[in-house]
Amino acid sequence: MSDTNPIGAFPQTPVAPRSRRSPGGMPPTTTNNGPLPIAPQQGAPTTRRAAPSPFIPLHVLDAPSQRLYALAIYIALLAWKFYDWAQVVEENTESFWLFLKWIAIDCVFLFGLPELRIPWLELSQPFVVVAFFLHAIFDWMLMFNVGLPWQSVLLGFFKVFYDRELAISEHQVKISNILHNSSLIMGRQIINILPEGSVVLNPETIPFCLGGERKIASIPIYFNATLPIEVELIRIDLESNAQEVIKLTRTQLRDIERQAKRQADGEETAVRFDFPAKKPGAYRLGKVLDEYKLEVQRRTPLTYVVPCPRATISSSSSSNRCIGESSDLSLQVEGTPPLKTVYSRSINGRDPSIHYQTLHPEGFSSPLLDHARSVTLQGPAEENIAWAQSLPVSVSLDELMHVGGQWQYSVDEVHDAFGNVVKYASPADDPEGKPKPKHLVQNLVVKERPRIRLRGCDPATPLKVPKGDSIPLPVVLNFADQVPDNTAHSLSWQFSPIDTLTESGDHGDVVSVGSYNARNSHDLPRISAPGLYSLTSVTAGSCDGEVQEPSSCLLLNPLEPKLALRAEEIPDVCAGNSIGLSVNMDLIGTPPFTVIYDVVSNGVTYRDRYVSVQDKLRYHMDLIPGTSGHHTYRFTHISDSVYKNPLKLTGPEYLLEQDVFAAANAMIQFSETNTNTCLGDEAPVEVLLTGTPPFTLEWEVVHDGKRKQYKVKDITKSTYQIKTAPLTHGGEYTIALTGVQDTRACRISLTKEEIKLSVRRQSPRVSFGQVEGKRRIRATEGSTVKLPLRLTGEGPWKVSYTNLEESDSPRIMEQTLESDNDFLRVRESGLYSITDIWDNMCHGVIDQKTSTFQVDWIPRPELSVVLSPSIQETSSHYTVDSVCESDISSFEVSLKGTPPYHVNYEVRNAPLQGSSSLSRKEFDSALGRTFIQMDTAKAGLYTYKFTSVADELYNNNQKLEPVEVKQKVNRKPTAAFTKPGQTFKYCKSEQGEDKIPITLSGVPPFSLEVEIKHQGSPIPEIFRTQAINSNSYELQIPRNHLRLGMQHIRIRDVKDASGCHSTSDLGGGSSVQVHLYEAPTIYPLETRADYCVGERISYTLSGTPPFEVRYMFDGTERKAKSDTTNFRRVAELPGEFTITTVSDKASECRAPVNIMKHIHPMPSVRISKGKSVQVDIHEGSEVEILFEFWGTPPFEFTYTRSSNAKKGQKSQVLETKHDVSHEHSKVVRANQEGTYEVVAIKDLYCSFSTQQQEAVVKGQKLLQ
C-alpha cells in the first residue's frame, strides 16, 4: 500500500510515540514494528516542507486531546457569553463594556489558537480575520440586545435549564418552584352513581342492506348494567309479512358475559353485541331475561334489513349517434322505493354534470313519501311492511345530443328509501384503477353532420373547359363544429346533358345520378361532360349531411378560337405607292384572345409578335413598316380564355405580303416637349428627317399670338438643327414643324411635331438686405456673421463677393446659396461688396446701390479696481488696509462690456510661518460693479490677481492685463483650557470652589467671556473676567452659576491689545465639564405595600451605577449591589422587607431611606383531608365534601365537577362553581356524579390558581 493519503481522505492524526517502561526501571524505549523508511536519494528534490511542531509537544498532550480542550474552552466561552447576554436582557446591564470585553476575549482566542499549531486546527490568517469579524458582529447583536426573532426562542430555551433569580436572601432561587407549588391545593372527591339495567336494538337507527359483497348485516344490541341469559329477536318477512323468532345461542350469550366482565373494571357499563342478520326483513327485540330471570326493560323499534339497491344502464341500439339524435338509453334500478340514482354525463372528457333521479313505481304507496323516516322505523309491529320490499323501476334517459364527440353516461350512486347507499367508484378513485362494470357505463360516439356546397360555380357562372378535358367539381365540405380526423365522405348528384335542359335551365327528361366516395375533404370528383350538375346528398360516416346553396353547376365546352383576316393596302397621298397594310380580324371564341404572328422585313425575321384582343370579336390594326422594301406577315397561333394552349393556324389565308416605299417625314429629337431658356439666349432644336434626300423643311415660331414662317432647302443629312434668334422677350415660344418634302417633291404636312420653349421674363438679381434698418452689423470678434441677401431667379445661386478693406488687392470669394432669402457667411470685419451672380442656369445682374455691407467687431470686456479711502493704488498693484483673522473685508471692481460677466482670479496666501498657498476662484456678476469678499481665515499676506474676464459675448479676454490687489491679515488671540475635556465632580452638599487653568496667546492684556451651558437648559449663562495681564490664568466660577447635573464650560470670546478677538468655537480643546451631583435615591415601582410569596419587588434607582442598597429582612441587615438603575428581588419567604440606605458610584454620600414592604404567604386549601376519596351512591343520595383553608380570611375558592376519568379518555369539566368562606373550613353537599376538585383559592391578600399557575395580588380581578 502506498504511504500517501488517497484523494479526499482526512490526514492521519499526529500521535506522539508511545513509550513503555521496562520492569526494572530502565528508561523508556520506543518500539517500531513497521519497516524501515526508505533512505532519501542523493540529489532528489524535496517535495514537501516539514510542518512546524505543535506548541504543546505531542508526547505531553496528544492531538485529539488538544482539540478537545480547545473545543471545551470555546464552548465555555460561548456559555459565558450567553450568560452575559441574559443579564443584559433581564437586568439591563451596561452593554458597551460587555461588548468591549467580548471583543477582546474573542480576539485573544481566535488569533491565539493558530499559534498553538494544534493539528487539524491550524487556521489560515484570512479565515481567522473573517471569523473574528463574524464574532464581533455576533457580540454586538448580543451585548446591545439587537432585536431578532430567535432571541426570544433562545432565552426561553435557557430558561428551561436556568430559571433562577436573586431573592431577598441574596441567593439564587428557581421562580417556578415557588409559583408552581402543588401543596397549596390538595385532595379531590369522586362520586359514582350506579346505573339501571336496559337493552336496546340499534339505538342509532342505522339502515342495513344485503346484497353484492354485503353478505351479513351486523345489527348492534346494547346491554346496559345487565347480564342476559335469554334474548329473542323477531324478524318480519318483507314479502309475506310472516314473523320469525330468533334466539341468541349460548355461545353468543357467553361472549356477551365475557365482554361485560372485561368492562367491569373500566368506566363503561354498556356492552355492545353485533347480531349477524343474513336475511332481509324487519327486526325488533322480543323477550330479554337477565341473570335473575327478570325481563329487562327494552325498546322495540323496527330495524329494516333490505336488499341493497342496484342499477344498470343499457342502450337499445349501437353506440354511434349523429348530432341532433337522441341518446335512447334506459336506466333500470332495483331496491326499496322511493329510490334515488346519481349518474354523471361527460362530453369529450370535460364538464361532467351530475344528475339525480327520484324513482318509484306508478301507484306505489309508502309511508316514507308522507312521513319522516324516524316515524317509519319506530312504527308498530303489526303494520303491513310490504312497502319495504325491493321493486324494479325502469326510466328512459332520452336526451337530445347537440355536441359532437365522446359522450359517457355513468351510474355513480344508488340510494334506497332507508338511506342505504351503494357507490360505484370511478377508475380515478379506485386504488387499483379498475374500470367500472359494463352495465354501469354507456359510451356513445356523436358524430358531426357534414355540409357541402359548390364554390365558384352556379348556373349564372358556369364552368368552361376545353372539349375533351375534365375539371374537379368544386365541392366544399365543412362541419358545424369540430372537424373530425377522418373526413372521408360520399356524395351524389344529378346530371342532365346540355341539350336536354329545359328553357328555364333546369333538368329535363334525361337525368342520370352520379356518386363519388371521397377519401378526404380535398378529394374531389372530376367531370367532363357538358350539362347541369346538381348535388343531392352527402354522407360522412353514418350521418347524413346537408346540401347548401349553391348546389347546381353548369359545365360548358365553348367553341375553339378561330381567326379570319381581311387586308387592304395603305396608299401614299402623293405618289400613290403603298406605305403599309390595314388589317381587319374577325375572331370566334371566348375573349380575351391572343394572336401570334411572325414578321419578315427585307429577309430579316422577327418572331413571336402578338396582339391581345380584350372583350370583343373584331379588331383592326395597321402594319406600317419604317423602312422601304418587301415585308411578309405570317399569323401562326391563336388562344382564348378557355383554350389557353395556342392553336396552330395553317393555310395561305394567314400569310400577308407587301412592298413599301417610305414617305418623307420629320421629327423633333427633344426628349421633353417643354424647355426653359434664359432671357436673350438662342434656342437650338434638333430635327430627324426620313425619306430620300435632299430635304426641304418648313417650320414656324409662335409667340404672343404672332407667327413667323421659316423654310430651309437642300438638306442633305438626316438631321438638322434649327437655331432661333435671341429671345429678348419673356414668355412661351412654340416651334412647330409644318411640312417636309424629299427628292420626290411630295410635300408632307406635319401637324404633331412641335416643341414649346419657356423664356425667363427677367434675369436673376442680387442685393444685400438690412439688419435693423441698415446694412451694418456689430458682432463678436472671430464669430461667423450672416449677411442677409435678397435673390431672385431659380436656385441654387452662386454669389461672388470681396472684402474691400482686406488689402490693396482684395480676393474674390464665392458661396452657393439655396434660398432666395439666404445669408452670406463671413468671419472677418470689413466692407463686403457683391461682384457676380448666377442662378441654376442664367447669369444675373447686381443692384449697385445695395451691393455693399459693413461688418464691425464689438470691443472685449475690461476690469478695474474702484478706489476708496481703505484702498491705495501703486504703480504695480492696489493695497487694502490690514484686518484681523475672520474679519469681514472686501473691495469693489468695475466691469465694462456686455453683462453678465464671469471673472477668474487667483488668491495667494503668504503666512507668517510656513510655505505659501495658491487657490483659484471665479464669480459671476450681472452688474457693472461688484464686491470681492477677501479671505481672512488665516493670518498672512494675501495677493488677489485677476487673470481673465468674460461677458455675454466673449468667453475670455486674452488681451486683459493682470490686476493685483494685496492685503495683510493679523493673527487672532487664542485661549484654551490647559486640560481640555476634564470633568470636575462635586456633591451638592459640599461648599467649595475649584480653579480651572487656562492658557492664552496674543498680545496682553486679555479679556475673557466664558459660556456655562447647563444640561437640559437651552439658554447658556455668560461669565466675564477682569483684565488678564499674563498668558496663563486660573478660572474660578462662583457656585451660584452651577446647577445639579452636568454643565459644559466653554470659552466664548477672547480679546487682546491689538483689537483682534476670537469668538464661538475655538477647536476641540476649548471646553471642560463640571458635574454637580446630588445624593442617590430609590423609588418603588409600585405604590402597594403588600406582596405575596413568589412576586418580584422592583425599585428604580437614580444616580450613577453601580449602586449599593442596604435593607432589613426578618431582623437581619443585608447588603446588595446593582449595576443598573433597576433593583429587583423575588419574595421567597413571608416577612417584613425594609430598605434603609442607598449609595452610588458618583458620590460618596449615603442617602437614608425607609421603604417597607409586607410579604404574605400564599393561601392553601385541602379537600377531603388532602386525599382522593371515591364514593358510590344511588340516584337521589348525597355526599358531604369538606373544604379546609389556611391563610387570612375571608377565603374565595373555585371548584369544578368533571366527568369521571375512563381508560383511554380524558375527563371533561361539567360544572364550575364559586363560593366564599369566612372561616377556615366549609362543608358542601353534592348528589351528582363526577370528580370534585378545587382549581383556585384566594384570601385577603393573595390568590393561587392551578389553571394560571401564578399568584395574583389583592385588587385584581376575582376568580371566575
Side-chain angles (χ1 to χ4, degrees):
M1 180 181 293
S2 174
D3 55 356
T4 59
N5 292 326
I7 297 176
F10 290 102
Q12 296 182 357
T13 303
V15 181
R18 296 184 179 180
S19 60
R20 184 172 54 188
R21 183 174 295 275
S22 62
M26 298 297 291
T29 59
T30 301
T31 61
N32 187 1
N33 297 329
L36 293 175
I38 300 175
Q41 298 180 3
Q42 184 176 3
T46 302
T47 59
R48 184 175 181 181
R49 185 179 179 181
S53 61
F55 181 79
I56 302 175
L58 297 180
H59 67 275
V60 176
L61 188 64
D62 58 3
S65 299
Q66 293 187 28
R67 290 194 293 270
L68 179 62
Y69 290 151
L71 180 61
I73 293 173
Y74 181 77
I75 294 176
L77 292 176
L78 193 63
W80 187 13
K81 186 182 298 184
F82 281 123
Y83 174 77
D84 285 350
W85 168 68
Q87 294 298 315
V88 171
V89 175
E90 295 293 333
E91 303 295 338
N92 196 19
T93 56
E94 182 65 31
S95 299
F96 181 72
W97 298 110
L98 289 176
F99 173 66
L100 294 182
K101 179 184 78 173
W102 281 110
I103 285 290
I105 293 175
D106 290 340
C107 179
V108 172
F109 179 79
L110 293 175
F111 286 94
L113 184 62
E115 301 300 326
L116 298 178
R117 297 186 295 278
I118 300 175
W120 289 13
L121 286 180
E122 300 179 73
L123 306 177
S124 64
Q125 190 69 17
F127 178 82
V128 172
V129 173
V130 173
F132 172 71
F133 278 108
L134 293 177
H135 280 71
I137 295 174
F138 186 64
D139 295 341
W140 172 76
M141 294 170 64
L142 287 182
M143 297 306 116
F144 286 96
N145 194 22
V146 178
L148 292 175
W150 53 267
Q151 287 189 355
S152 59
V153 178
L154 186 61
L155 190 61
F157 177 75
F158 286 148
K159 288 290 185 180
V160 175
F161 301 97
Y162 188 82
D163 184 18
R164 297 182 179 273
E165 296 185 28
L166 275 175
I168 296 176
S169 61
E170 295 300 320
H171 296 291
Q172 297 284 343
V173 297
K174 196 171 184 180
I175 191 68
S176 58
N177 292 338
I178 300 175
L179 296 178
H180 304 163
N181 189 355
S182 60
S183 63
L184 298 178
I185 298 178
M186 299 178 63
R188 63 176 178 173
Q189 181 75 52
I190 303 174
I191 300 177
N192 294 321
I193 296 179
L194 300 176
E196 297 291 340
S198 63
V199 61
V200 62
L201 175 68
N202 191 18
E204 298 179 0
T205 64
I206 301 173
F208 298 95
C209 68
L210 298 175
E213 298 180 355
R214 303 179 186 179
K215 304 298 182 183
I216 298 176
S218 297
I219 305 175
I221 305 175
Y222 288 89
F223 300 91
N224 185 23
T226 185
L227 290 177
I229 61 173
E230 181 179 351
V231 178
E232 290 183 355
L233 281 87
I234 299 176
R235 185 185 75 86
I236 304 174
D237 190 82
L238 299 178
E239 296 181 359
S240 62
N241 217 33
Q243 296 186 359
E244 177 187 1
V245 177
I246 303 173
K247 292 185 177 182
L248 297 186
T249 63
R250 294 193 177 189
T251 302
Q252 293 174 334
L253 294 174
R254 282 196 296 268
D255 291 340
I256 298 173
E257 183 179 359
R258 284 194 295 268
Q259 187 174 356
K261 290 180 179 180
R262 286 196 300 268
Q263 296 180 359
D265 298 334
E267 301 292 337
E268 296 183 3
T269 58
V271 178
R272 172 175 172 169
F273 174 74
D274 293 333
F275 172 74
K278 301 180 180 179
K279 297 181 181 179
Y283 291 82
R284 64 179 177 84
L285 285 173
K287 183 173 65 175
V288 179
L289 301 178
D290 62 3
E291 54 186 341
Y292 304 105
K293 295 186 179 180
L294 297 177
E295 193 166 352
V296 180
Q297 180 182 359
R298 64 191 182 277
R299 293 168 56 190
T300 60
L302 292 177
T303 297
Y304 289 88
V305 179
V306 298
C308 292
R310 56 194 181 94
T312 60
I313 187 171
S314 61
S315 174
S316 61
S317 59
S318 66
S319 61
N320 292 326
R321 300 287 190 276
C322 298
I323 288 182
E325 295 181 352
S326 61
S327 57
D328 194 16
L329 298 177
S330 176
L331 181 65
Q332 293 83 26
V333 186
E334 185 175 350
T336 302
L339 299 166
K340 184 175 72 172
T341 61
V342 179
Y343 70 94
S344 60
R345 183 205 68 191
S346 64
I347 302 174
N348 296 321
R350 299 188 304 270
D351 303 330
S353 56
I354 307 301
H355 301 267
Y356 300 90
Q357 289 276 3
T358 302
L359 311 172
H360 57 81
E362 294 183 3
F364 174 74
S365 177
S366 170
L368 297 181
L369 295 176
D370 301 323
H371 304 286
R373 172 186 162 200
S374 60
V375 176
T376 303
L377 295 177
Q378 297 177 6
E382 295 79 6
E383 183 182 357
N384 186 2
I385 59 173
W387 55 267
Q389 60 183 320
S390 179
L391 299 175
V393 181
S394 178
V395 63
S396 175
L397 301 180
D398 198 359
E399 182 180 6
L400 186 64
M401 313 185 82
H402 58 282
V403 178
Q406 297 289 336
W407 288 52
Q408 186 184 71
Y409 291 84
S410 174
V411 179
D412 299 329
E413 297 178 10
V414 183
H415 302 245
D416 65 1
F418 296 99
N420 294 304
V421 180
V422 178
K423 296 184 178 181
Y424 304 103
S426 62
D429 301 331
D430 192 275
E432 300 180 358
K434 295 181 179 180
K436 284 186 179 180
K438 295 183 179 180
H439 67 278
L440 299 176
V441 179
Q442 193 68 35
N443 294 317
L444 301 177
V445 179
V446 180
K447 299 180 180 180
E448 296 280 352
R449 293 185 181 273
R451 299 177 181 176
I452 61 170
R453 61 182 178 85
L454 295 175
R455 177 188 294 170
C457 181
D458 53 38
T461 308
L463 293 177
K464 297 179 181 181
V465 297
K467 188 180 298 183
D469 291 349
S470 62
I471 189 173
L473 185 62
V475 179
V476 178
L477 174 69
N478 53 43
F479 295 85
D481 190 7
Q482 184 179 3
V483 178
D485 297 334
N486 184 13
T487 57
H489 59 281
S490 300
L491 56 89
S492 60
W493 62 85
Q494 292 181 347
F495 170 71
S496 295
I498 190 66
D499 53 355
T500 64
L501 298 180
T502 63
E503 294 181 356
S504 60
D506 295 331
H507 291 279
D509 298 335
V510 179
V511 179
S512 60
V513 178
S515 62
Y516 184 75
N517 295 323
R519 296 184 297 272
N520 50 55
S521 59
H522 302 289
D523 188 9
L524 303 177
R526 299 188 68 88
I527 56 177
S528 59
L532 181 63
Y533 295 83
S534 298
L535 298 176
T536 57
S537 65
V538 61
T539 302
S542 58
C543 298
D544 295 333
E546 177 184 359
V547 178
Q548 298 179 334
E549 294 297 330
S551 61
S552 298
C553 178
L554 184 63
L555 179 64
L556 300 177
N557 292 142
L559 297 176
E560 294 182 352
K562 294 181 180 181
L563 173 64
L565 299 175
R566 292 179 290 107
E568 296 179 357
E569 292 184 351
I570 301 174
D572 189 353
V573 295
C574 294
N577 297 325
S578 175
I579 61 173
L581 291 177
S582 176
V583 181
N584 292 315
M585 297 182 185
D586 296 327
L587 301 166
I588 296 175
T590 305
F593 300 92
T594 301
V595 180
I596 302 174
Y597 63 96
D598 298 337
V599 179
V600 180
S601 297
N602 297 325
V604 180
T605 303
Y606 303 94
R607 298 186 179 277
D608 297 334
R609 295 191 177 184
Y610 65 91
V611 176
S612 295
V613 181
Q614 303 290 335
D615 300 331
K616 55 186 177 179
L617 300 179
R618 297 177 61 84
Y619 183 72
H620 173 79
M621 62 182 295
D622 291 334
L623 299 175
I624 301 176
T627 60
S628 301
H630 183 73
H631 301 276
T632 302
Y633 304 91
R634 182 181 299 278
F635 293 83
T636 58
H637 296 83
I638 185 174
S639 63
D640 61 3
S641 61
V642 177
Y643 295 86
K644 298 185 181 298
N645 294 327
L647 301 178
K648 190 174 182 181
L649 300 175
T650 59
E653 63 272 18
Y654 301 112
L655 181 63
L656 302 178
E657 294 181 334
Q658 67 172 341
D659 292 323
V660 176
F661 296 95
N665 193 13
M667 294 177 291
I668 297 176
Q669 291 297 99
F670 272 59
S671 59
E672 298 180 357
T673 58
N674 295 318
T675 59
N676 295 324
T677 306
C678 297
L679 185 65
D681 290 350
E682 297 179 351
V685 179
E686 295 290 336
V687 180
L688 176 64
L689 301 172
T690 60
T692 305
F695 301 97
T696 299
L697 181 62
E698 299 176 3
W699 74 89
E700 63 180 3
V701 178
V702 181
H703 175 64
D704 288 341
K706 299 178 181 180
R707 295 177 182 270
K708 189 173 183 180
Q709 304 290 333
Y710 296 90
K711 184 176 182 181
V712 177
K713 298 181 180 180
D714 298 330
I715 301 174
T716 58
K717 296 181 179 180
S718 60
T719 60
Y720 180 74
Q721 186 182 62
I722 299 175
K723 290 185 179 181
T724 64
L727 305 177
T728 57
H729 300 282
E732 187 177 90
Y733 289 78
T734 303
I735 300 176
L737 302 181
T738 58
V740 64
Q741 79 178 42
D742 58 359
T743 187
R744 292 177 293 178
C746 180
R747 182 181 181 279
I748 301 299
S749 297
L750 302 177
T751 59
K752 298 180 179 181
E753 294 298 326
E754 65 179 25
I755 185 172
K756 292 183 179 181
L757 301 178
S758 179
V759 181
R760 299 272 188 91
R761 294 189 179 274
Q762 63 178 2
S763 298
R765 302 179 67 87
V766 61
S767 63
F768 278 115
Q770 294 182 350
V771 176
E772 297 180 357
K774 55 186 176 180
R775 293 179 180 85
R776 189 184 188 95
I777 190 171
R778 297 175 74 247
T780 58
E781 185 177 350
S783 63
T784 301
V785 182
K786 298 194 298 183
L787 306 181
L789 291 178
R790 300 296 177 258
L791 302 166
T792 60
E794 297 181 4
W797 293 268
K798 288 184 180 181
V799 177
S800 300
Y801 62 97
T802 183
N803 186 356
L804 300 178
E805 298 179 0
E806 185 176 15
S807 61
D808 296 337
S809 57
R811 55 192 175 92
I812 302 299
M813 295 167 283
E814 183 180 285
Q815 287 189 20
T816 300
L817 307 176
E818 298 295 334
S819 66
D820 49 4
N821 290 298
D822 212 334
F823 296 90
L824 193 66
R825 291 164 176 81
V826 297
R827 296 183 61 86
E828 296 180 358
S829 62
L831 182 62
Y832 288 88
S833 175
I834 300 174
T835 59
D836 198 5
I837 174 66
W838 278 84
D839 67 355
N840 62 349
M841 61 179 295
C842 298
H843 187 265
V845 296
I846 301 171
D847 188 354
Q848 296 300 326
K849 295 181 180 180
T850 59
S851 62
T852 58
F853 204 102
Q854 181 68 43
V855 177
D856 299 323
W857 294 139
I858 300 174
R860 291 182 176 272
E862 297 178 357
L863 180 143
S864 62
V865 177
V866 179
L867 296 177
S868 66
S870 62
I871 300 176
Q872 295 80 33
E873 182 180 7
T874 63
S875 59
S876 60
H877 62 276
Y878 296 88
T879 302
V880 183
D881 293 344
S882 61
V883 294
C884 298
E885 282 182 321
S886 302
D887 285 353
I888 297 175
S889 180
S890 62
F891 62 93
E892 188 178 13
V893 295
S894 176
L895 300 170
K896 293 182 179 180
T898 304
Y901 304 96
H902 181 79
V903 180
N904 294 325
Y905 63 97
E906 298 176 352
V907 181
R908 183 179 298 275
N909 177 22
L912 300 179
Q913 295 177 352
S915 59
S916 61
S917 62
L918 178 66
S919 62
R920 291 178 174 84
K921 297 183 179 181
E922 60 183 14
F923 69 89
D924 296 319
S925 176
L927 302 176
R929 287 193 175 189
T930 185
F931 284 92
I932 305 298
Q933 190 71 29
M934 306 189 77
D935 189 1
T936 60
K938 296 181 180 180
L941 180 61
Y942 288 83
T943 302
Y944 299 82
K945 183 179 180 179
F946 295 89
T947 57
S948 67
V949 60
D951 62 359
E952 178 69 19
L953 302 178
Y954 292 95
N955 292 331
N956 188 10
N957 186 4
Q958 300 176 354
K959 300 178 182 180
L960 177 68
E961 294 183 0
V963 178
E964 291 187 0
V965 179
K966 294 185 179 182
Q967 184 187 41
K968 183 180 179 181
V969 178
N970 297 320
R971 187 184 301 275
K972 281 188 175 184
T974 61
F977 292 103
T978 305
K979 296 180 180 180
Q982 184 177 359
T983 302
F984 298 88
K985 302 179 181 180
Y986 305 100
C987 272
K988 184 178 180 181
S989 59
E990 297 179 0
Q991 298 296 327
E993 295 181 355
D994 196 8
K995 296 180 180 180
I996 304 173
I998 297 177
T999 303
L1000 302 100
S1001 66
V1003 181
F1006 302 94
S1007 62
L1008 285 178
E1009 186 176 293
V1010 179
E1011 176 186 282
I1012 305 173
K1013 186 174 183 181
H1014 304 283
Q1015 185 178 12
S1017 176
I1019 302 176
E1021 257 187 85
I1022 306 300
F1023 174 71
R1024 294 178 177 85
T1025 65
Q1026 301 297 326
I1028 302 171
N1029 296 317
S1030 64
N1031 291 334
S1032 63
Y1033 179 68
E1034 299 290 335
L1035 177 63
Q1036 295 182 350
I1037 302 176
R1039 184 53 56 90
N1040 59 349
H1041 290 279
L1042 298 178
R1043 299 179 187 177
L1044 287 175
M1046 180 72 71
Q1047 32 255 316
H1048 295 270
I1049 311 299
R1050 186 171 65 93
I1051 300 175
R1052 184 170 182 176
D1053 183 76
V1054 58
K1055 188 175 182 180
D1056 64 356
S1058 64
C1060 296
H1061 65 93
S1062 301
T1063 59
S1064 299
D1065 295 334
L1066 297 177
S1070 61
S1071 66
V1072 294
Q1073 292 82 31
V1074 174
H1075 203 156
L1076 185 64
Y1077 288 95
E1078 194 173 11
T1081 58
I1082 183 170
Y1083 303 97
L1085 293 180
E1086 297 177 278
T1087 59
R1088 61 190 175 115
D1090 296 306
Y1091 284 82
C1092 298
V1093 172
E1095 288 189 310
R1096 297 175 178 86
I1097 306 176
S1098 301
Y1099 302 87
T1100 180
L1101 298 163
S1102 64
T1104 304
F1107 298 91
E1108 184 180 276
V1109 181
R1110 295 179 182 271
Y1111 59 90
M1112 296 287 295
F1113 183 70
D1114 282 347
T1116 303
E1117 184 178 5
R1118 290 181 171 87
K1119 179 176 65 175
K1121 289 186 178 181
S1122 177
D1123 294 330
T1124 65
T1125 57
N1126 295 325
F1127 179 72
R1128 185 178 65 182
R1129 290 295 183 268
V1130 176
E1132 60 174 330
L1133 297 173
E1136 300 292 334
F1137 178 72
T1138 305
I1139 294 179
T1140 58
T1141 61
V1142 60
S1143 62
D1144 64 351
K1145 179 181 179 181
S1147 64
E1148 297 180 357
C1149 300
R1150 185 179 301 277
V1153 294
N1154 185 18
I1155 303 176
M1156 180 181 294
K1157 302 293 182 182
H1158 302 278
I1159 303 175
H1160 300 277
M1162 299 293 294
S1164 62
V1165 60
R1166 293 183 181 180
I1167 184 172
S1168 301
K1169 301 295 182 179
K1171 299 179 181 180
S1172 178
V1173 179
Q1174 182 171 350
V1175 179
D1176 296 333
I1177 63 174
H1178 290 280
E1179 190 77 27
S1181 300
E1182 290 184 343
V1183 176
E1184 291 185 350
I1185 303 175
L1186 175 63
F1187 295 89
E1188 297 176 294
F1189 306 100
W1190 283 265
T1192 303
F1195 299 96
E1196 299 181 23
F1197 63 99
T1198 300
Y1199 64 96
T1200 61
R1201 182 176 67 88
S1202 306
S1203 61
N1204 294 331
K1206 299 180 181 179
K1207 290 184 179 180
Q1209 297 180 357
K1210 292 183 179 180
S1211 62
Q1212 297 180 354
V1213 177
L1214 304 176
E1215 185 180 7
T1216 302
K1217 292 186 178 181
H1218 180 72
D1219 205 345
V1220 178
S1221 175
H1222 295 275
E1223 304 294 335
H1224 286 274
S1225 64
K1226 186 168 185 175
V1227 176
V1228 177
R1229 296 181 178 275
N1231 58 1
Q1232 292 181 324
E1233 185 180 51
T1235 301
Y1236 293 80
E1237 294 178 290
V1238 177
V1239 296
I1241 178 67
K1242 179 180 181 298
D1243 67 354
L1244 182 61
Y1245 299 105
C1246 304
S1247 64
F1248 178 77
S1249 173
T1250 59
Q1251 297 175 346
Q1252 299 179 355
Q1253 294 295 318
E1254 62 180 3
V1256 183
V1257 299
K1258 180 181 179 181
Q1260 293 183 342
K1261 187 176 181 180
L1262 296 177
L1263 296 173
Q1264 300 297 322

